[in-house]
Amino acid sequence: DAKTTQPNSMESNEEEPVHLPCNHSTISGTDYIHWYRQLPSQGPEYVIHGLTSNVNNRMASLAIAEDRKSSTLILHRATLRDAAVYYCILRDPLAGGYQKVTFGTGTKLQVIP
Amino acid sequence: EAGVAQSPRYKIIEKRQSVAFWCNPISGHATLYWYQQILGQGPKLLIQFQNNGVVDDSQLPKDRFSAERLKGVDSTLKIQPAKLEDSAVYLCASRPLSGTEAFFGQGTRLTVV
């Protein structure tokens, strides 16, 4: 599996934008970039995913570098509820449907009131 | 839509005892995952089912861990006998066959003393 690299931790002030980086220099052409987050004492939850183009949804935006070797999850206005561990994951849909969802150590985001 | 249900939420056992965890995935989801999450780490995939068949159990310690998914619906993960290092949160997740998003339960927190 192609690996991802994320900072261990980041801080943000409440109501400010947050940019969470992820490096994936060995990404293959068919790997999608997925982001999950895990709130304290909860299971992970899906945030967003993309392949080449930038993506937006109600939770966040995903900016993908032109060479696809890095991406950034953008939370436009951080709230205290966004304090969580954020995981960047690569998944290949051509893996016959038997896709692993393999987590690294993620980035722990602290939101300061 | 009901989420992934897991029980129990918490379990404390002594080492060398046996324990079982139960998971009921979202209705219609063909793929079911069991993960182990040790404190401070990302979730580690233990086993992946497609309907009632195992498609990946490469990281399951088969000398003590077993899992089954009879009838392709709910699943049970068993540890026998437990060791101190098995203390962790055990997460179940499910995904529809053609979907990209995995849905996680809240997990079972196991403490082995």
Side-chain angles (χ1 to χ4, degrees), chain A residues 34 36 38 41-46 49 87 91 96-105, chain B residues 9 31 33 35 37 41-43 45 48 50 55-56 58 91 95 100-102 104-106:
Chain A
H34 289 244
Y36 281 74
Q38 188 172 22
S41 301
Q42 301 290 321
E45 63 176 350
Y46 167 84
H49 77 280
Y87 297 97
R91 294 178 60 197
Y98 301 141
Q99 308 164 47
K100 291 182 183 181
V101 183
T102 303
F103 293 84
T105 52
Chain B
R9 285 297 312 276
T31 303
Y33 309 87
Y35 287 84
Q37 186 171 25
Q41 300 181 15
L45 180 66
Q48 177 180 346
Q50 180 94 349
V55 297
D56 188 342
S58 57
L91 294 161
R95 181 178 60 81
T100 60
E101 179 181 350
F104 284 79
Q106 288 193 299

Side-chain angles (χ1 to χ4, degrees), chain A residues 18 23 68 80 84 112:
Chain A
V18 183
N23 288 317
R68 301 206 332 119
L80 296 178
I112 302 168

Side-chain angles (χ1 to χ4, degrees), chain B residues 43-106:
Chain B
K44 179 181 110 175
L45 180 66
L46 293 176
I47 189 167
Q48 177 180 346
F49 291 94
Q50 180 94 349
N51 296 309
N52 62 346
V54 175
V55 297
D56 188 342
D57 63 358
S58 57
Q59 298 196 89
L60 186 73
K62 299 180 187 63
D63 57 334
R64 299 185 300 106
F65 286 64
S66 64
E68 60 183 10
R69 191 184 184 196
L70 300 176
K71 302 180 181 178
V73 182
D74 55 354
S75 176
T76 304
L77 177 70
K78 296 179 182 177
I79 308 175
Q80 180 180 6
K83 293 185 176 182
L84 296 177
E85 58 261 36
D86 298 332
S87 294
V89 175
Y90 290 85
L91 294 161
C92 179
S94 69
R95 181 178 60 81
L97 189 60
S98 59
T100 60
E101 179 181 350
F103 296 82
F104 284 79
Q106 288 193 299

Side-chain angles (χ1 to χ4, degrees), chain A residues 26-100:
Chain A
T26 59
I27 190 170
S28 74
T30 51
D31 280 330
Y32 279 73
I33 302 157
H34 289 244
W35 284 81
Y36 281 74
R37 73 178 185 181
Q38 188 172 22
L39 302 171
S41 301
Q42 301 290 321
E45 63 176 350
Y46 167 84
V47 178
I48 199 167
H49 77 280
L51 181 63
T52 55
S53 303
N54 294 343
V55 185
N56 299 296
N57 67 19
R58 64 175 179 80
M59 290 181 70
S61 296
L62 176 61
I64 301 172
E66 196 169 334
D67 64 5
R68 301 206 332 119
K69 293 185 176 181
S70 66
S71 61
T72 303
L73 179 71
I74 303 166
L75 307 178
H76 295 287
R77 287 185 65 203
T79 69
L80 296 178
R81 197 190 172 281
D82 292 322
V85 179
Y86 288 78
Y87 297 97
C88 171
I89 299 162
L90 303 181
R91 294 178 60 197
D92 182 0
L94 297 183
Y98 301 141
Q99 308 164 47
K100 291 182 183 181

